[in-house]
Amino acid sequence: MTGEAIALLVVSLVVVWGGLAVSIIALVRRPERADFPHGWQNEGGPEDRPEEAVEHDT
């Protein structure tokens, strides 16, 4: 392998594994979103609630 190929390999490994590490750290710090509207964390979306369903003109 040439020096350029090794350098590109190292850069790509740092990008991939660094992104994985950053995402794991972010998930450990804030595992669950708290800014969802009331009732959306443990229930289905609007399609499960017919009173809030939106009709489309298609």
Side-chain angles (χ1 to χ4, degrees):
M1 289 180 80
T2 64
E4 293 89 7
I6 293 173
L8 185 59
L9 175 68
V10 169
V11 168
S12 63
L13 287 174
V14 167
V15 167
V16 170
W17 290 105
L20 178 64
V22 168
S23 63
I24 289 173
I25 290 169
L27 282 173
V28 167
R29 288 186 179 176
R30 303 189 86 193
E32 187 173 325
R33 293 191 57 172
D35 59 347
F36 284 121
H38 177 69
W40 280 59
Q41 289 178 329
N42 297 322
E43 299 177 10
E47 63 274 357
D48 294 336
R49 290 181 243 144
E51 69 275 1
E52 295 181 15
V54 177
E55 292 186 28
H56 297 282
D57 297 334
T58 56

